Amino acid sequence: MKYLGKKTITLIMTLFLVSVAAFLAFQIIPGDVVTSILGTEATPEREEQLREELGFNDPPAVRYFNWMSGVAKGDLGVSYRYSRNMNEMMPVAELIGDKLPVTLWLAALGLALIILVSIPLGVLWARSGSRLLDAVLGVITQATMAVPSFFLGILVTFVFGIVLKLFAPGGYISYEEDFTGFLGYLLFPALSIALPKIAMTARFLRNSMLTEVGTDYVRTAYSKGCTKRRVMYAHVLRNAMMPVVTFLGMIVAEIVAGSIVIEQVFGLPGIGRLLISAISTRDFPVVQILILYITFVVIVVYYLVDVIYRLIDPRISGK
């Protein structure tokens, strides 16, 4: 409990510092948000009214406190660029709520592909002892890791969409409209995300297992009569997973935070695409909340990685 308590305090402090940095950064950026929203033809009276409505006349400390109080209560503010109608700005919570399921389902499918393929492949690669298989997998994984994400997305679209006609490129289906069709379309962007990560994870696991094979405890296990299968799965794999867990944590944080390039290539209305749009249109409330979301995802993932470390190896201390 002491170990988890220290990690929780670190998580909260990190989130607080990032929230302060995100808030202050958008206070010093040049440009007048009110003029950007209303245009140059607005009357001074209307500009002053909007400043008062948005709280721009309050001191920065008061604005930060009001913002964080609203976030704690679930009120994420309003978007400067998106609106329900001409007179009502769209709440940020509603805007993000429409995009978040797309990113989360994309991340879930990508992560499932990574785990289901990379770990068995890494174990097979480490156990095989075949120079031919080692060379073939080495070339394939190296080539897969070297391909940029946007180009890999284009290749997947060309092969599975245009040539094999397994999906319609650009034919995104909303999860509210047809959930099965939605998952079917997401499978191909998820494959684009997963392929380089599968290559990295399999190679990383293979190298980690080969390092463990040469240690003293493995020789001791063989001397006690343990079979190769038992040694590899009961001893080597468990210890080899320690660095792999860290790497998988990095992957999870990356894809849950929003796969910007893949979302752009496949036309997915996810968090990553929304972030690019909000930055380009200076929609600061949306950008601030997305920065907090990404920070929260990253620190929570690493918090869970630390917990998994303790489960895999209880010898790890909380120091």
Side-chain angles (χ1 to χ4, degrees), residues 99-108 255-259 263 270-272 293:
K99 315 292 184 184
L100 189 58
V102 178
T103 296
L104 293 182
W105 277 109
L106 178 61
I255 62 179
V256 174
S259 303
E263 289 180 7
I271 292 296
Y293 162 74

Side-chain angles (χ1 to χ4, degrees), residues 244-257:
V244 176
V245 166
T246 302
F247 186 67
L248 286 175
M250 295 170 58
I251 291 175
V252 171
E254 177 185 339
I255 62 179
V256 174

Side-chain angles (χ1 to χ4, degrees), residues 131-192:
R131 291 186 178 182
L132 177 61
L133 181 62
D134 186 68
V136 170
L137 289 178
V139 171
I140 292 175
T141 55
Q142 192 68 40
T144 306
M145 290 188 294
V147 178
S149 297
F150 74 91
F151 186 64
L152 189 59
I154 293 172
L155 286 179
V156 169
T157 301
F158 176 75
V159 173
F160 293 98
I162 297 176
V163 177
L164 300 179
K165 300 186 183 305
L166 296 180
F167 76 105
Y172 169 74
I173 302 172
S174 172
Y175 59 91
E176 296 175 337
E177 181 181 326
D178 180 6
F179 187 72
T180 303
F182 166 74
L183 291 181
Y185 185 83
L186 283 190
L187 179 62
F188 299 97
L191 182 63
S192 302

Side-chain angles (χ1 to χ4, degrees), residues 23-319:
F23 178 82
L24 293 178
F26 292 113
Q27 305 307 308
I28 62 177
I29 290 178
D32 187 358
V33 173
V34 172
T35 302
S36 178
I37 295 173
L38 297 178
T40 57
E41 303 299 324
T43 63
E45 292 79 11
R46 177 64 184 122
E47 289 183 354
E48 184 60 28
Q49 179 186 0
L50 185 58
R51 290 182 193 279
E52 189 65 31
E53 290 175 0
L54 297 177
F56 290 162
N57 293 331
D58 296 330
V62 174
R63 294 206 304 274
Y64 173 78
F65 178 78
N66 291 338
W67 176 54
M68 289 306 299
S69 298
V71 170
K73 297 174 184 177
D75 179 10
L76 307 183
V78 294
S79 168
Y80 295 160
R81 290 295 177 184
Y82 295 88
S83 58
R84 289 173 174 163
N85 51 58
M86 293 297 294
N87 300 315
E88 185 180 5
M89 294 178 173
M90 179 177 288
V92 175
E94 181 179 331
L95 181 62
I96 294 178
D98 292 337
K99 315 292 184 184
L100 189 58
V102 178
T103 296
L104 293 182
W105 277 109
L106 178 61
L109 287 175
L111 182 61
L113 290 173
I114 292 167
I115 293 176
L116 292 176
V117 177
S118 65
I119 293 180
L121 181 61
V123 173
L124 173 65
W125 193 358
R127 288 192 60 189
S128 69
S130 169
R131 291 186 178 182
L132 177 61
L133 181 62
D134 186 68
V136 170
L137 289 178
V139 171
I140 292 175
T141 55
Q142 192 68 40
T144 306
M145 290 188 294
V147 178
S149 297
F150 74 91
F151 186 64
L152 189 59
I154 293 172
L155 286 179
V156 169
T157 301
F158 176 75
V159 173
F160 293 98
I162 297 176
V163 177
L164 300 179
K165 300 186 183 305
L166 296 180
F167 76 105
Y172 169 74
I173 302 172
S174 172
Y175 59 91
E176 296 175 337
E177 181 181 326
D178 180 6
F179 187 72
T180 303
F182 166 74
L183 291 181
Y185 185 83
L186 283 190
L187 179 62
F188 299 97
L191 182 63
S192 302
I193 293 173
L195 282 175
K197 305 296 188 297
I198 288 171
M200 295 177 189
T201 307
R203 178 179 284 269
F204 199 26
L205 179 58
R206 175 254 188 189
N207 293 340
S208 182
M209 290 186 69
L210 291 181
T211 300
E212 292 293 326
V213 166
T215 55
D216 292 337
Y217 76 87
V218 173
R219 287 190 290 270
T220 302
Y222 278 126
S223 68
K224 291 183 177 180
C226 293
T227 63
K228 183 176 181 180
R229 181 181 181 85
R230 177 173 175 77
V231 170
M232 292 295 290
Y233 288 100
H235 300 286
V236 173
L237 180 59
R238 177 168 181 168
N239 289 301
M241 283 299 295
M242 292 291 290
V244 176
V245 166
T246 302
F247 186 67
L248 286 175
M250 295 170 58
I251 291 175
V252 171
E254 177 185 339
I255 62 179
V256 174
S259 303
I260 297 174
V261 174
I262 296 301
E263 289 180 7
Q264 291 281 32
V265 171
F266 286 89
L268 299 175
I271 292 296
R273 197 175 182 188
L274 177 62
L275 178 60
I276 294 297
S277 174
I279 292 173
S280 63
T281 58
R282 301 171 67 87
D283 197 348
F284 297 149
V286 175
V287 177
Q288 287 176 328
I289 293 301
L290 290 180
I291 289 174
L292 281 184
Y293 162 74
I294 293 172
T295 304
F296 179 77
V297 166
V298 171
I299 58 182
V300 166
V301 166
Y302 281 105
Y303 176 86
L304 294 176
V305 167
D306 287 334
V307 173
I308 294 173
Y309 269 177
R310 292 299 300 272
L311 296 176
I312 295 177
D313 189 351
R315 296 172 300 172
I316 296 177
S317 68
K319 295 181 181 180

